[in-house]
Short mmCIF file of all heavy atoms in Angstrom, two decimals:
data_model
loop_
_atom_site.label_atom_id
_atom_site.label_comp_id
_atom_site.label_asym_id
_atom_site.label_seq_id
_atom_site.Cartn_x
_atom_site.Cartn_y
_atom_site.Cartn_z
N ALA A 1 5.83 -9.65 9.03
CA ALA A 1 4.41 -9.87 8.73
C ALA A 1 3.76 -8.50 8.58
O ALA A 1 3.88 -7.64 9.46
CB ALA A 1 3.76 -10.65 9.87
N PHE A 2 3.08 -8.28 7.45
CA PHE A 2 2.53 -6.97 7.14
C PHE A 2 1.08 -7.10 6.72
O PHE A 2 0.71 -8.04 5.99
CB PHE A 2 3.34 -6.30 6.02
CG PHE A 2 2.79 -4.98 5.57
CD1 PHE A 2 3.09 -3.81 6.26
CD2 PHE A 2 1.96 -4.89 4.47
CE1 PHE A 2 2.58 -2.58 5.86
CE2 PHE A 2 1.45 -3.68 4.05
CZ PHE A 2 1.76 -2.52 4.75
N ALA A 3 0.23 -6.19 7.18
CA ALA A 3 -1.18 -6.15 6.77
C ALA A 3 -1.56 -4.72 6.44
O ALA A 3 -1.04 -3.77 7.03
CB ALA A 3 -2.08 -6.69 7.88
N LEU A 4 -2.48 -4.57 5.50
CA LEU A 4 -2.95 -3.25 5.10
C LEU A 4 -3.84 -2.68 6.20
O LEU A 4 -4.80 -3.31 6.64
CB LEU A 4 -3.74 -3.33 3.79
CG LEU A 4 -2.92 -3.78 2.58
CD1 LEU A 4 -3.83 -4.05 1.39
CD2 LEU A 4 -1.87 -2.73 2.22
N SER A 5 -3.53 -1.49 6.65
CA SER A 5 -4.27 -0.86 7.74
C SER A 5 -5.69 -0.52 7.30
O SER A 5 -5.90 0.12 6.27
CB SER A 5 -3.54 0.41 8.18
OG SER A 5 -4.21 1.04 9.23
N GLY A 6 -6.66 -0.95 8.12
CA GLY A 6 -8.06 -0.60 7.87
C GLY A 6 -8.77 -1.41 6.83
O GLY A 6 -9.95 -1.20 6.56
N VAL A 7 -8.07 -2.38 6.21
CA VAL A 7 -8.65 -3.15 5.11
C VAL A 7 -8.82 -4.61 5.52
O VAL A 7 -7.90 -5.23 6.04
CB VAL A 7 -7.76 -3.07 3.84
CG1 VAL A 7 -8.33 -3.92 2.72
CG2 VAL A 7 -7.64 -1.62 3.39
N LEU A 8 -10.02 -5.15 5.30
CA LEU A 8 -10.31 -6.55 5.64
C LEU A 8 -10.61 -7.33 4.36
O LEU A 8 -11.48 -6.94 3.58
CB LEU A 8 -11.50 -6.64 6.58
CG LEU A 8 -11.30 -6.15 8.02
CD1 LEU A 8 -12.62 -6.23 8.78
CD2 LEU A 8 -10.25 -6.96 8.73
N ALA A 9 -9.91 -8.43 4.15
CA ALA A 9 -10.15 -9.30 3.00
C ALA A 9 -10.92 -10.55 3.45
O ALA A 9 -10.81 -10.96 4.60
CB ALA A 9 -8.82 -9.71 2.36
N PRO A 10 -11.70 -11.16 2.57
CA PRO A 10 -12.38 -12.40 2.94
C PRO A 10 -11.37 -13.51 3.18
O PRO A 10 -10.28 -13.53 2.59
CB PRO A 10 -13.26 -12.69 1.71
CG PRO A 10 -12.62 -11.95 0.59
CD PRO A 10 -12.00 -10.73 1.20
N GLY A 11 -11.71 -14.46 4.05
CA GLY A 11 -10.86 -15.60 4.32
C GLY A 11 -10.74 -16.51 3.12
O GLY A 11 -11.55 -16.44 2.19
N LYS A 12 -9.73 -17.38 3.13
CA LYS A 12 -9.47 -18.22 1.96
C LYS A 12 -10.64 -19.15 1.64
O LYS A 12 -10.81 -19.56 0.48
CB LYS A 12 -8.19 -19.02 2.16
CG LYS A 12 -8.24 -20.00 3.32
CD LYS A 12 -6.92 -20.76 3.44
CE LYS A 12 -6.99 -21.78 4.59
NZ LYS A 12 -5.72 -22.53 4.72
N ASP A 13 -11.45 -19.50 2.65
CA ASP A 13 -12.58 -20.39 2.43
C ASP A 13 -13.89 -19.63 2.25
O ASP A 13 -14.95 -20.23 2.12
CB ASP A 13 -12.72 -21.37 3.60
CG ASP A 13 -11.52 -22.29 3.72
OD1 ASP A 13 -10.96 -22.67 2.67
OD2 ASP A 13 -11.12 -22.62 4.86
N GLU A 14 -13.82 -18.30 2.25
CA GLU A 14 -15.01 -17.48 2.09
C GLU A 14 -15.15 -17.08 0.62
O GLU A 14 -14.18 -17.14 -0.15
CB GLU A 14 -14.92 -16.23 2.97
CG GLU A 14 -14.88 -16.55 4.46
CD GLU A 14 -14.72 -15.29 5.31
OE1 GLU A 14 -14.53 -14.20 4.72
OE2 GLU A 14 -14.78 -15.41 6.54
N PRO A 15 -16.37 -16.66 0.20
CA PRO A 15 -16.56 -16.20 -1.18
C PRO A 15 -15.58 -15.10 -1.55
O PRO A 15 -15.37 -14.17 -0.77
CB PRO A 15 -18.01 -15.68 -1.17
CG PRO A 15 -18.68 -16.46 -0.08
CD PRO A 15 -17.63 -16.67 0.97
N LEU A 16 -14.95 -15.24 -2.71
CA LEU A 16 -14.00 -14.28 -3.28
C LEU A 16 -12.67 -14.25 -2.53
O LEU A 16 -11.81 -13.42 -2.83
CB LEU A 16 -14.60 -12.87 -3.35
CG LEU A 16 -15.83 -12.71 -4.25
CD1 LEU A 16 -16.32 -11.27 -4.22
CD2 LEU A 16 -15.52 -13.13 -5.67
N GLY A 17 -12.47 -15.15 -1.57
CA GLY A 17 -11.19 -15.19 -0.86
C GLY A 17 -10.04 -15.51 -1.80
O GLY A 17 -9.01 -14.84 -1.78
N ALA A 18 -10.22 -16.51 -2.65
CA ALA A 18 -9.18 -16.88 -3.61
C ALA A 18 -8.95 -15.77 -4.63
O ALA A 18 -7.81 -15.51 -5.04
CB ALA A 18 -9.56 -18.19 -4.31
N ALA A 19 -10.02 -15.10 -5.03
CA ALA A 19 -9.90 -14.02 -6.00
C ALA A 19 -9.11 -12.84 -5.42
O ALA A 19 -8.31 -12.21 -6.12
CB ALA A 19 -11.29 -13.54 -6.44
N ALA A 20 -9.32 -12.57 -4.13
CA ALA A 20 -8.58 -11.48 -3.49
C ALA A 20 -7.09 -11.80 -3.44
O ALA A 20 -6.25 -10.93 -3.70
CB ALA A 20 -9.13 -11.25 -2.08
N VAL A 21 -6.76 -13.06 -3.12
CA VAL A 21 -5.35 -13.47 -3.08
C VAL A 21 -4.73 -13.35 -4.47
O VAL A 21 -3.62 -12.83 -4.64
CB VAL A 21 -5.22 -14.91 -2.55
CG1 VAL A 21 -3.79 -15.39 -2.70
CG2 VAL A 21 -5.65 -14.98 -1.10
N ALA A 22 -5.45 -13.83 -5.50
CA ALA A 22 -4.93 -13.79 -6.86
C ALA A 22 -4.71 -12.34 -7.32
O ALA A 22 -3.71 -12.02 -7.97
CB ALA A 22 -5.90 -14.50 -7.81
N PHE A 23 -5.64 -11.45 -6.96
CA PHE A 23 -5.52 -10.04 -7.33
C PHE A 23 -4.29 -9.43 -6.69
O PHE A 23 -3.51 -8.72 -7.33
CB PHE A 23 -6.79 -9.29 -6.89
CG PHE A 23 -6.81 -7.84 -7.29
CD1 PHE A 23 -7.40 -7.44 -8.48
CD2 PHE A 23 -6.25 -6.87 -6.48
CE1 PHE A 23 -7.43 -6.09 -8.85
CE2 PHE A 23 -6.27 -5.53 -6.83
CZ PHE A 23 -6.86 -5.15 -8.02
N ALA A 24 -4.08 -9.71 -5.40
CA ALA A 24 -2.93 -9.15 -4.69
C ALA A 24 -1.61 -9.68 -5.24
O ALA A 24 -0.63 -8.95 -5.37
CB ALA A 24 -3.05 -9.45 -3.20
N ARG A 25 -1.59 -10.99 -5.57
CA ARG A 25 -0.39 -11.58 -6.15
C ARG A 25 -0.03 -10.92 -7.47
O ARG A 25 1.11 -10.56 -7.74
CB ARG A 25 -0.60 -13.08 -6.37
CG ARG A 25 -0.51 -13.93 -5.11
CD ARG A 25 -0.77 -15.40 -5.47
NE ARG A 25 -0.67 -16.26 -4.31
CZ ARG A 25 0.46 -16.79 -3.85
NH1 ARG A 25 1.60 -16.54 -4.48
NH2 ARG A 25 0.47 -17.57 -2.79
N GLU A 26 -1.03 -10.76 -8.33
CA GLU A 26 -0.81 -10.17 -9.64
C GLU A 26 -0.31 -8.73 -9.51
O GLU A 26 0.53 -8.28 -10.30
CB GLU A 26 -2.12 -10.19 -10.44
CG GLU A 26 -2.04 -9.54 -11.82
CD GLU A 26 -1.14 -10.32 -12.78
OE1 GLU A 26 -0.95 -11.54 -12.56
OE2 GLU A 26 -0.66 -9.71 -13.75
N LEU A 27 -0.81 -8.03 -8.50
CA LEU A 27 -0.48 -6.62 -8.35
C LEU A 27 0.93 -6.39 -7.81
O LEU A 27 1.65 -5.50 -8.27
CB LEU A 27 -1.51 -5.95 -7.44
CG LEU A 27 -1.37 -4.44 -7.20
CD1 LEU A 27 -1.51 -3.68 -8.54
CD2 LEU A 27 -2.43 -3.96 -6.22
N CYS A 28 1.34 -7.20 -6.82
CA CYS A 28 2.59 -6.84 -6.15
C CYS A 28 3.61 -7.95 -5.93
O CYS A 28 4.73 -7.65 -5.48
CB CYS A 28 2.28 -6.16 -4.81
SG CYS A 28 1.12 -7.00 -3.76
N LEU A 29 3.29 -9.20 -6.24
CA LEU A 29 4.29 -10.25 -6.02
C LEU A 29 5.51 -10.04 -6.92
O LEU A 29 5.38 -9.79 -8.12
CB LEU A 29 3.67 -11.62 -6.29
CG LEU A 29 4.52 -12.82 -5.87
CD1 LEU A 29 4.75 -12.84 -4.37
CD2 LEU A 29 3.86 -14.13 -6.31
N GLN A 30 6.71 -10.11 -6.32
CA GLN A 30 7.98 -9.92 -7.01
C GLN A 30 8.17 -8.50 -7.55
O GLN A 30 8.99 -8.26 -8.44
CB GLN A 30 8.15 -10.93 -8.15
CG GLN A 30 8.15 -12.38 -7.70
CD GLN A 30 9.30 -12.68 -6.73
OE1 GLN A 30 10.38 -12.11 -6.84
NE2 GLN A 30 9.05 -13.57 -5.77
N HIS A 31 7.42 -7.56 -7.03
CA HIS A 31 7.59 -6.14 -7.37
C HIS A 31 8.19 -5.40 -6.18
O HIS A 31 7.94 -5.76 -5.03
CB HIS A 31 6.24 -5.50 -7.73
CG HIS A 31 5.69 -5.92 -9.06
ND1 HIS A 31 6.06 -5.32 -10.24
CD2 HIS A 31 4.82 -6.90 -9.40
CE1 HIS A 31 5.43 -5.90 -11.25
NE2 HIS A 31 4.67 -6.87 -10.75
N ASP A 32 8.96 -4.38 -6.47
CA ASP A 32 9.41 -3.49 -5.40
C ASP A 32 8.22 -2.67 -4.92
O ASP A 32 7.47 -2.10 -5.73
CB ASP A 32 10.50 -2.54 -5.90
CG ASP A 32 11.83 -3.27 -6.14
OD1 ASP A 32 12.01 -4.36 -5.56
OD2 ASP A 32 12.66 -2.75 -6.91
N VAL A 33 8.05 -2.61 -3.62
CA VAL A 33 6.96 -1.83 -3.05
C VAL A 33 7.51 -0.90 -1.97
O VAL A 33 8.61 -1.10 -1.48
CB VAL A 33 5.87 -2.74 -2.43
CG1 VAL A 33 5.28 -3.68 -3.48
CG2 VAL A 33 6.43 -3.54 -1.26
N GLU A 34 6.73 0.09 -1.65
CA GLU A 34 7.08 1.00 -0.56
C GLU A 34 5.99 0.91 0.49
O GLU A 34 4.80 1.04 0.18
CB GLU A 34 7.18 2.44 -1.07
CG GLU A 34 7.55 3.44 0.01
CD GLU A 34 7.67 4.86 -0.54
OE1 GLU A 34 8.49 5.07 -1.45
OE2 GLU A 34 6.93 5.73 -0.06
N ILE A 35 6.39 0.64 1.73
CA ILE A 35 5.40 0.55 2.81
C ILE A 35 5.64 1.66 3.82
O ILE A 35 6.78 2.09 4.03
CB ILE A 35 5.42 -0.83 3.51
CG1 ILE A 35 6.78 -1.10 4.17
CG2 ILE A 35 5.05 -1.94 2.54
CD1 ILE A 35 6.80 -2.37 5.00
N GLN A 36 4.55 2.11 4.42
CA GLN A 36 4.63 3.08 5.52
C GLN A 36 3.96 2.45 6.72
O GLN A 36 2.77 2.15 6.68
CB GLN A 36 3.94 4.39 5.14
CG GLN A 36 4.02 5.44 6.26
CD GLN A 36 3.50 6.79 5.81
OE1 GLN A 36 3.57 7.14 4.63
NE2 GLN A 36 2.97 7.55 6.74
N ILE A 37 4.73 2.23 7.78
CA ILE A 37 4.23 1.56 8.97
C ILE A 37 3.51 2.56 9.87
O ILE A 37 4.05 3.61 10.20
CB ILE A 37 5.36 0.88 9.75
CG1 ILE A 37 6.13 -0.10 8.86
CG2 ILE A 37 4.83 0.18 11.00
CD1 ILE A 37 5.31 -1.25 8.35
N GLU A 38 2.28 2.22 10.26
CA GLU A 38 1.53 3.06 11.19
C GLU A 38 1.65 2.54 12.62
O GLU A 38 1.79 3.29 13.57
CB GLU A 38 0.06 3.12 10.79
CG GLU A 38 -0.19 3.81 9.46
CD GLU A 38 -1.65 3.78 9.06
OE1 GLU A 38 -2.47 3.27 9.85
OE2 GLU A 38 -1.98 4.27 7.97
N THR A 39 1.57 1.21 12.76
CA THR A 39 1.60 0.62 14.09
C THR A 39 1.88 -0.87 13.97
O THR A 39 2.09 -1.39 12.88
CB THR A 39 0.26 0.86 14.83
OG1 THR A 39 0.36 0.40 16.18
CG2 THR A 39 -0.88 0.14 14.15
N ILE A 40 1.90 -1.56 15.10
CA ILE A 40 2.05 -3.01 15.15
C ILE A 40 0.94 -3.55 16.03
O ILE A 40 0.68 -3.01 17.11
CB ILE A 40 3.42 -3.42 15.76
CG1 ILE A 40 4.56 -2.66 15.07
CG2 ILE A 40 3.64 -4.92 15.65
CD1 ILE A 40 5.91 -2.85 15.74
N ASP A 41 0.23 -4.60 15.56
CA ASP A 41 -0.86 -5.13 16.37
C ASP A 41 -0.33 -6.06 17.46
O ASP A 41 0.88 -6.32 17.57
CB ASP A 41 -1.93 -5.79 15.51
CG ASP A 41 -1.47 -7.10 14.88
OD1 ASP A 41 -0.42 -7.65 15.29
OD2 ASP A 41 -2.16 -7.60 13.97
N LYS A 42 -1.25 -6.58 18.27
CA LYS A 42 -0.83 -7.39 19.43
C LYS A 42 -0.20 -8.71 19.03
O LYS A 42 0.43 -9.38 19.86
CB LYS A 42 -2.03 -7.64 20.34
CG LYS A 42 -3.19 -8.36 19.68
CD LYS A 42 -4.37 -8.45 20.63
CE LYS A 42 -5.56 -9.12 19.95
NZ LYS A 42 -6.74 -9.18 20.87
N ASN A 43 -0.36 -9.12 17.76
CA ASN A 43 0.26 -10.36 17.29
C ASN A 43 1.61 -10.12 16.62
O ASN A 43 2.22 -11.06 16.09
CB ASN A 43 -0.68 -11.06 16.30
CG ASN A 43 -1.98 -11.48 16.95
OD1 ASN A 43 -1.99 -12.01 18.05
ND2 ASN A 43 -3.10 -11.22 16.27
N GLY A 44 2.07 -8.86 16.60
CA GLY A 44 3.36 -8.55 16.00
C GLY A 44 3.31 -8.29 14.51
O GLY A 44 4.35 -8.22 13.85
N THR A 45 2.10 -8.13 13.96
CA THR A 45 1.96 -7.81 12.54
C THR A 45 2.06 -6.30 12.34
O THR A 45 1.38 -5.53 13.03
CB THR A 45 0.60 -8.31 12.01
OG1 THR A 45 0.52 -9.72 12.17
CG2 THR A 45 0.43 -7.96 10.53
#
């Protein structure tokens, strides 16, 4: 489970929530990506 550090997206039921998901899918779904881990939160993300 991975989340972008310092960045908050609207929830799926909030305004532009669906648009944010669609944008992220278009940008990186099925693409090779490089991640740099800074930390892990209390939920294991």
Side-chain angles (χ1 to χ4, degrees):
F2 176 83
L4 296 171
S5 180
V7 178
L8 290 176
K12 63 180 182 180
D13 296 324
E14 297 177 355
L16 297 180
V21 172
F23 184 93
R25 283 179 178 274
E26 178 67 24
L27 183 61
C28 49
L29 190 63
Q30 299 300 326
H31 287 276
D32 288 339
V33 300
E34 180 179 302
I35 62 174
Q36 181 172 331
I37 303 297
E38 295 177 3
T39 186
I40 310 172
D41 70 14
K42 59 185 177 182
N43 297 316
T45 300

